[in-house]
CSV table of all heavy atoms in Angstrom, one decimal:
chain,number,residue,atom,x,y,z
A,1,VAL,N,68.4,60.2,121.8
A,1,VAL,CA,68.8,58.9,121.4
A,1,VAL,C,68.4,57.9,122.5
A,1,VAL,O,67.8,56.9,122.2
A,1,VAL,CB,70.3,58.8,121.1
A,1,VAL,CG1,70.7,57.3,120.8
A,1,VAL,CG2,70.7,59.7,119.9
A,2,LEU,N,68.8,58.2,123.7
A,2,LEU,CA,68.5,57.3,124.8
A,2,LEU,C,67.0,57.2,125.2
A,2,LEU,O,66.6,56.1,125.6
A,2,LEU,CB,69.2,57.9,126.1
A,2,LEU,CG,70.8,58.1,125.9
A,2,LEU,CD1,71.3,58.7,127.2
A,2,LEU,CD2,71.4,56.7,125.6
A,3,GLN,N,66.3,58.2,124.9
A,3,GLN,CA,64.8,58.2,125.3
A,3,GLN,C,64.0,57.4,124.3
A,3,GLN,O,62.8,57.2,124.5
A,3,GLN,CB,64.3,59.7,125.4
A,3,GLN,CG,64.8,60.4,126.5
A,3,GLN,CD,64.5,61.9,126.5
A,3,GLN,OE1,65.1,62.6,127.2
A,3,GLN,NE2,63.7,62.4,125.6
A,4,ASP,N,64.6,57.1,123.2
A,4,ASP,CA,63.8,56.3,122.1
A,4,ASP,C,64.4,54.9,122.1
A,4,ASP,O,65.6,54.7,121.8
A,4,ASP,CB,64.0,57.1,120.8
A,4,ASP,CG,63.1,56.5,119.7
A,4,ASP,OD1,63.4,55.4,119.3
A,4,ASP,OD2,62.1,57.1,119.4
A,5,ALA,N,63.5,53.9,122.3
A,5,ALA,CA,64.0,52.5,122.3
A,5,ALA,C,64.7,52.2,121.0
A,5,ALA,O,65.8,51.5,121.0
A,5,ALA,CB,62.8,51.6,122.6
A,6,GLU,N,64.2,52.6,119.9
A,6,GLU,CA,64.8,52.3,118.6
A,6,GLU,C,66.1,53.0,118.4
A,6,GLU,O,67.1,52.4,117.9
A,6,GLU,CB,63.8,52.7,117.4
A,6,GLU,CG,64.4,52.3,116.1
A,6,GLU,CD,63.4,52.7,114.9
A,6,GLU,OE1,62.2,52.3,115.0
A,6,GLU,OE2,63.9,53.3,114.0
A,7,GLY,N,66.2,54.3,118.9
A,7,GLY,CA,67.4,55.0,118.8
A,7,GLY,C,68.5,54.4,119.6
A,7,GLY,O,69.7,54.3,119.2
A,8,LEU,N,68.2,54.0,120.8
A,8,LEU,CA,69.1,53.4,121.7
A,8,LEU,C,69.6,52.1,121.2
A,8,LEU,O,70.8,51.8,121.1
A,8,LEU,CB,68.5,53.2,123.1
A,8,LEU,CG,69.4,52.5,124.1
A,8,LEU,CD1,70.7,53.3,124.4
A,8,LEU,CD2,68.7,52.3,125.5
A,9,LYS,N,68.7,51.3,120.7
A,9,LYS,CA,69.1,50.0,120.1
A,9,LYS,C,70.0,50.2,118.9
A,9,LYS,O,71.0,49.5,118.7
A,9,LYS,CB,67.9,49.2,119.7
A,9,LYS,CG,68.2,47.8,119.1
A,9,LYS,CD,67.0,47.0,118.9
A,9,LYS,CE,67.3,45.6,118.4
A,9,LYS,NZ,68.6,45.2,117.9
A,10,LEU,N,69.7,51.2,118.0
A,10,LEU,CA,70.5,51.5,116.9
A,10,LEU,C,71.9,51.9,117.3
A,10,LEU,O,72.9,51.5,116.7
A,10,LEU,CB,69.8,52.6,116.1
A,10,LEU,CG,70.3,52.9,114.7
A,10,LEU,CD1,70.2,51.6,113.8
A,10,LEU,CD2,69.5,54.0,114.0
A,11,ALA,N,72.0,52.8,118.3
A,11,ALA,CA,73.3,53.2,118.8
A,11,ALA,C,74.2,52.1,119.3
A,11,ALA,O,75.3,52.0,118.9
A,11,ALA,CB,73.1,54.3,119.9
A,12,ILE,N,73.6,51.2,120.1
A,12,ILE,CA,74.4,50.1,120.6
A,12,ILE,C,74.7,49.1,119.4
A,12,ILE,O,75.9,48.7,119.4
A,12,ILE,CB,73.6,49.3,121.7
A,12,ILE,CG1,73.3,50.2,122.9
A,12,ILE,CG2,74.3,48.1,122.1
A,12,ILE,CD1,74.5,50.8,123.5
A,13,ASP,N,73.8,48.8,118.6
A,13,ASP,CA,74.0,47.9,117.4
A,13,ASP,C,75.2,48.5,116.5
A,13,ASP,O,76.0,47.7,116.1
A,13,ASP,CB,72.8,47.7,116.6
A,13,ASP,CG,71.8,46.8,117.3
A,13,ASP,OD1,72.1,46.2,118.3
A,13,ASP,OD2,70.6,46.7,116.8
A,14,ALA,N,75.2,49.8,116.3
A,14,ALA,CA,76.2,50.4,115.5
A,14,ALA,C,77.6,50.3,116.1
A,14,ALA,O,78.6,50.0,115.5
A,14,ALA,CB,75.9,51.9,115.2
A,15,MET,N,77.6,50.5,117.4
A,15,MET,CA,78.9,50.4,118.1
A,15,MET,C,79.4,48.9,118.2
A,15,MET,O,80.6,48.6,118.0
A,15,MET,CB,78.8,51.0,119.5
A,15,MET,CG,78.5,52.5,119.4
A,15,MET,SD,78.2,53.3,121.0
A,15,MET,CE,79.8,54.0,121.4
A,16,LEU,N,78.4,48.0,118.4
A,16,LEU,CA,78.8,46.6,118.3
A,16,LEU,C,79.3,46.2,117.0
A,16,LEU,O,80.3,45.4,116.9
A,16,LEU,CB,77.5,45.7,118.7
A,16,LEU,CG,77.2,45.6,120.1
A,16,LEU,CD1,75.8,45.0,120.3
A,16,LEU,CD2,78.2,44.9,120.9
A,17,ALA,N,78.7,46.7,115.9
A,17,ALA,CA,79.2,46.4,114.5
A,17,ALA,C,80.6,46.8,114.3
A,17,ALA,O,81.4,46.2,113.6
A,17,ALA,CB,78.3,47.1,113.5
A,18,GLU,N,81.0,47.9,115.0
A,18,GLU,CA,82.4,48.4,114.9
A,18,GLU,C,83.4,47.4,115.6
A,18,GLU,O,84.6,47.5,115.3
A,18,GLU,CB,82.6,49.8,115.5
A,18,GLU,CG,82.1,50.9,114.7
A,18,GLU,CD,83.0,51.1,113.5
A,18,GLU,OE1,84.1,50.7,113.4
A,18,GLU,OE2,82.5,51.7,112.5
A,19,LEU,N,82.9,46.5,116.4
A,19,LEU,CA,83.8,45.6,117.1
A,19,LEU,C,83.9,44.2,116.4
A,19,LEU,O,84.6,43.4,116.9
A,19,LEU,CB,83.3,45.4,118.6
A,19,LEU,CG,83.5,46.7,119.4
A,19,LEU,CD1,82.9,46.5,120.8
A,19,LEU,CD2,85.0,47.0,119.5
A,20,GLU,N,83.2,44.0,115.4
A,20,GLU,CA,83.3,42.7,114.6
A,20,GLU,C,84.7,42.5,114.2
A,20,GLU,O,85.3,43.3,113.6
A,20,GLU,CB,82.3,42.7,113.4
A,20,GLU,CG,80.9,42.7,113.8
A,20,GLU,CD,79.9,42.7,112.6
A,20,GLU,OE1,80.4,42.5,111.5
A,20,GLU,OE2,78.7,43.0,112.9
A,21,GLY,N,85.2,41.3,114.6
A,21,GLY,CA,86.6,41.0,114.3
A,21,GLY,C,87.7,41.5,115.2
A,21,GLY,O,88.8,41.2,114.9
A,22,VAL,N,87.3,42.3,116.2
A,22,VAL,CA,88.3,42.9,117.1
A,22,VAL,C,88.5,41.9,118.3
A,22,VAL,O,87.5,41.5,118.9
A,22,VAL,CB,87.8,44.3,117.6
A,22,VAL,CG1,88.8,44.8,118.6
A,22,VAL,CG2,87.6,45.2,116.5
A,23,ASP,N,89.7,41.6,118.5
A,23,ASP,CA,90.0,40.7,119.6
A,23,ASP,C,90.3,41.5,120.9
A,23,ASP,O,91.3,42.3,120.9
A,23,ASP,CB,91.3,39.8,119.2
A,23,ASP,CG,91.7,38.9,120.3
A,23,ASP,OD1,90.9,38.5,121.2
A,23,ASP,OD2,92.9,38.6,120.4
A,24,PHE,N,89.5,41.4,121.9
A,24,PHE,CA,89.7,42.1,123.1
A,24,PHE,C,89.2,41.4,124.3
A,24,PHE,O,88.4,40.5,124.2
A,24,PHE,CB,89.1,43.5,123.0
A,24,PHE,CG,87.6,43.6,122.9
A,24,PHE,CD1,86.9,43.9,124.1
A,24,PHE,CD2,87.0,43.3,121.7
A,24,PHE,CE1,85.5,43.9,124.0
A,24,PHE,CE2,85.6,43.4,121.7
A,24,PHE,CZ,84.9,43.7,122.8
A,25,ASP,N,89.6,41.8,125.5
A,25,ASP,CA,89.2,41.2,126.8
A,25,ASP,C,88.2,42.0,127.6
A,25,ASP,O,87.4,41.4,128.3
A,25,ASP,CB,90.5,40.9,127.6
A,25,ASP,CG,91.5,40.1,126.9
A,25,ASP,OD1,91.2,39.0,126.4
A,25,ASP,OD2,92.7,40.6,126.8
A,26,VAL,N,88.3,43.3,127.6
A,26,VAL,CA,87.5,44.1,128.5
A,26,VAL,C,87.0,45.4,127.8
A,26,VAL,O,87.6,45.8,126.8
A,26,VAL,CB,88.3,44.6,129.8
A,26,VAL,CG1,88.7,43.4,130.6
A,26,VAL,CG2,89.5,45.4,129.4
A,27,VAL,N,85.9,45.9,128.3
A,27,VAL,CA,85.4,47.2,127.8
A,27,VAL,C,85.6,48.2,128.9
A,27,VAL,O,85.2,47.9,130.1
A,27,VAL,CB,83.8,47.0,127.5
A,27,VAL,CG1,83.3,48.4,127.1
A,27,VAL,CG2,83.6,46.0,126.4
A,28,VAL,N,86.2,49.3,128.6
A,28,VAL,CA,86.4,50.4,129.5
A,28,VAL,C,85.6,51.6,129.1
A,28,VAL,O,85.7,52.0,127.9
A,28,VAL,CB,87.9,50.8,129.6
A,28,VAL,CG1,88.1,51.9,130.6
A,28,VAL,CG2,88.8,49.6,129.9
A,29,GLY,N,84.7,52.1,130.0
A,29,GLY,CA,83.9,53.2,129.7
A,29,GLY,C,84.2,54.4,130.6
A,29,GLY,O,84.5,54.2,131.8
A,30,THR,N,84.3,55.6,130.0
A,30,THR,CA,84.6,56.8,130.8
A,30,THR,C,83.3,57.4,131.4
A,30,THR,O,82.2,57.3,130.7
A,30,THR,CB,85.3,57.8,129.9
A,30,THR,OG1,84.5,58.1,128.7
A,30,THR,CG2,86.7,57.4,129.5
């Protein structure tokens, strides 16, 4: 996924879509 520009963009876009309408202040990544 990471090695393909389209795959990476699709992954980030999909995760961003999950955040539509969510009220939050910070992103925490493990």
Side-chain angles (χ1 to χ4, degrees):
V1 174
L2 303 174
Q3 291 169 191
D4 187 287
E6 184 180 309
L8 178 58
K9 183 174 182 348
L10 192 59
I12 300 301
D13 287 349
M15 295 172 101
L16 283 168
E18 281 292 338
L19 291 173
E20 288 178 15
V22 177
D23 177 28
F24 68 99
D25 304 305
V26 298
V27 175
V28 180
T30 53

